[in-house]
Amino acid sequence: MKFDISKFVWFDGKFIPLNKANVPITTHAIHYGTSIFEGIRAYWNSKNLYIFRLEDHIKRFRQSGRFYSISLKFSNEQIMDALIQLCKKNNMRRSCYIRPFYFVGQYGINLHINENAPTHVAAFMFPFGDLFDKNGISVGISSWRKFSDQSTPPLAKMGGNYLNSILATQECKRNGYDEAILLDLNANLSEAPGENVFIVKNNTLITPPLESSALEGITRDSVLKIAKDLGYSTKEKTITRGEAYLADEMFLTGTAAEITPVISIDGKKIGTGKPGNITKEIVSTYLDIVAAKNDKYSSWLSPVY
């Protein structure tokens, strides 16, 4: 994916040009994946730029580091303000993606990370549209299993965790699919490489529970709340591969993917082979929310200007 990063980035509390944001090759995170990140969307509605669920993203941002005793040396309020100011500094008046992250700096080859290890925090942004075809994508079940709490916490958005996702993505692309689905250690659906999974069966939305090694996705949570408000039943329960094949509808959720319909799995058509009516209704509601056209969810938006 090609993208043009904005001119200014935020690095350890200062706004600096992108070409000045450099780190030494001895940075611990480069060697061991000791980095934490978030992906955050901001939407331009022709009048203002709105950051979606900023506070919730930053709460998770801090929480992820706690698993590994990696310190985030700015308050949540400071980081939220920094991201708003970064949008202003770059005069961003297009829908965009914001990537804050923090990481362990020069710490030798020591694996005993603690709260006193040196850390840095940074953020950059870039204009961003659709990650996937909103008319629907194909997915394939990966032979790679999603890691579990038996090995490393799935609830942490750590840089190193996504090596698992890279393997699944490479495999699905080789096999001609748009995206992968990983199973958990019990052979139930877990999630996609960067997205949560939903199926619709008999007008009920079902998504794997956190026990299936699914990330506690913010878009996932948004969809559960939207669906309930629209009058649909929702469940967090294990989903077998066979249940996925028999789903009436399927879609993925994530900051980058937003809500993406799935029209086939392992070459088998889902429902009619087109985005389902419930999926389309949720997508439409979501797009109204992020464009500040639904006052009920105004607390989810942080205006920039």
Side-chain angles (χ1 to χ4, degrees), residues 219-236:
T219 311
R220 171 185 183 270
D221 177 70
S222 302
V223 165
L224 288 170
K225 292 175 179 175
I226 291 168
K228 287 179 182 178
D229 288 345
L230 291 173
Y232 295 108
S233 297
T234 64
K235 289 182 182 179
E236 295 179 56

Side-chain angles (χ1 to χ4, degrees), residues 176-196:
Y177 298 113
D178 297 312
E179 185 60 305
I181 298 289
L182 293 101
L183 304 180
D184 65 18
L185 296 184
N186 296 313
N188 297 311
L189 266 65
S190 177
E191 60 179 19
E195 303 87 28
N196 291 110

Side-chain angles (χ1 to χ4, degrees), residues 181-184 188-192 195-199 205-217 220 224 235-240 243-244 250-253:
I181 298 289
L182 293 101
L183 304 180
D184 65 18
N188 297 311
L189 266 65
S190 177
E191 60 179 19
E195 303 87 28
N196 291 110
V197 182
F198 280 81
I199 66 169
L205 281 80
I206 307 170
T207 192
L210 303 186
E211 299 93 294
S212 289
S213 299
L215 180 71
E216 196 169 14
R220 171 185 183 270
L224 288 170
K235 289 182 182 179
E236 295 179 56
K237 64 175 288 293
T238 55
I239 303 171
T240 67
E243 286 177 306
M250 179 182 285
F251 58 87
L252 307 181
T253 64

Side-chain angles (χ1 to χ4, degrees), residues 12 41 45-46 90 118 121 132 134 141 162 178 210 290-291 302:
D12 284 343
R41 281 263 194 175
N45 72 352
S46 79
N90 285 297
V121 59
F132 293 118
K134 288 300 191 289
I141 301 290
Y162 284 79
D178 297 312
L210 303 186
V290 299
S302 298

Side-chain angles (χ1 to χ4, degrees), residues 15-275:
F15 297 102
I16 60 174
L18 174 63
N19 61 4
K20 299 294 184 182
N22 301 313
V23 297
I25 62 171
T26 49
T27 297
H28 193 273
I30 296 174
H31 298 267
Y32 297 114
T34 45
S35 62
I36 298 99
F37 72 93
E38 278 292 323
I40 306 173
R41 281 263 194 175
Y43 293 87
W44 177 253
N45 72 352
S46 79
K47 295 179 181 178
N48 207 337
L49 185 68
Y50 293 93
I51 304 177
F52 185 63
R53 297 193 67 170
L54 175 58
E55 184 175 359
D56 295 311
H57 276 288
I58 300 308
K59 284 180 180 177
R60 187 175 64 179
F61 191 47
R62 183 175 299 279
Q63 174 182 286
S64 292
R66 290 175 59 194
F67 286 105
Y68 293 87
S69 299
I70 297 175
S71 298
L72 178 55
K73 296 172 183 175
F74 290 85
S75 71
N76 289 9
E77 291 72 22
Q78 285 175 312
I79 295 169
M80 288 189 289
D81 181 66
L83 298 184
I84 290 171
Q85 297 306 319
L86 181 62
C87 292
K88 292 180 178 178
K89 182 77 172 176
N90 285 297
N91 193 29
M92 186 61 67
R93 296 178 186 273
R94 297 169 59 187
S95 293
C96 61
Y97 184 98
I98 306 167
R99 168 55 57 87
F101 61 103
Y102 58 112
F103 57 95
V104 179
Q106 295 196 71
Y107 199 57
I109 59 170
N110 189 354
L111 295 179
H112 183 207
I113 298 298
N114 58 47
E115 290 84 355
N116 296 319
T119 59
H120 303 278
V121 59
F124 62 89
M125 62 190 307
F126 50 91
F128 197 57
D130 291 339
L131 178 64
F132 293 118
D133 185 348
K134 288 300 191 289
N135 292 315
I137 63 170
S138 64
V139 300
I141 301 290
S142 174
S143 64
W144 295 98
R145 295 295 175 91
K146 180 69 188 289
F147 58 84
S148 75
D149 261 323
Q150 297 176 47
S151 55
T152 188
L155 293 182
K157 282 188 72 70
M158 297 290 299
N161 284 359
Y162 284 79
L163 289 170
N164 182 225
S165 296
I166 288 171
L167 289 170
T169 299
Q170 290 172 333
E171 181 182 37
C172 88
K173 295 295 186 182
R174 285 196 302 269
N175 292 333
Y177 298 113
D178 297 312
E179 185 60 305
I181 298 289
L182 293 101
L183 304 180
D184 65 18
L185 296 184
N186 296 313
N188 297 311
L189 266 65
S190 177
E191 60 179 19
E195 303 87 28
N196 291 110
V197 182
F198 280 81
I199 66 169
V200 178
K201 188 68 177 179
N202 298 326
N203 292 331
T204 297
L205 281 80
I206 307 170
T207 192
L210 303 186
E211 299 93 294
S212 289
S213 299
L215 180 71
E216 196 169 14
I218 289 171
T219 311
R220 171 185 183 270
D221 177 70
S222 302
V223 165
L224 288 170
K225 292 175 179 175
I226 291 168
K228 287 179 182 178
D229 288 345
L230 291 173
Y232 295 108
S233 297
T234 64
K235 289 182 182 179
E236 295 179 56
K237 64 175 288 293
T238 55
I239 303 171
T240 67
R241 188 173 190 164
E243 286 177 306
Y245 287 168
L246 297 177
D248 300 325
E249 303 178 30
M250 179 182 285
F251 58 87
L252 307 181
T253 64
T255 294
E258 301 173 296
I259 303 166
T260 297
V262 174
I263 56 177
S264 71
I265 179 170
D266 287 347
K268 302 176 186 297
K269 187 166 63 175
I270 295 291
T272 64
K274 297 179 181 179

Side-chain angles (χ1 to χ4, degrees), residues 292-299:
K293 296 179 180 178
N294 190 323
D295 291 340
K296 182 174 183 177
Y297 301 90
S298 60
S299 62

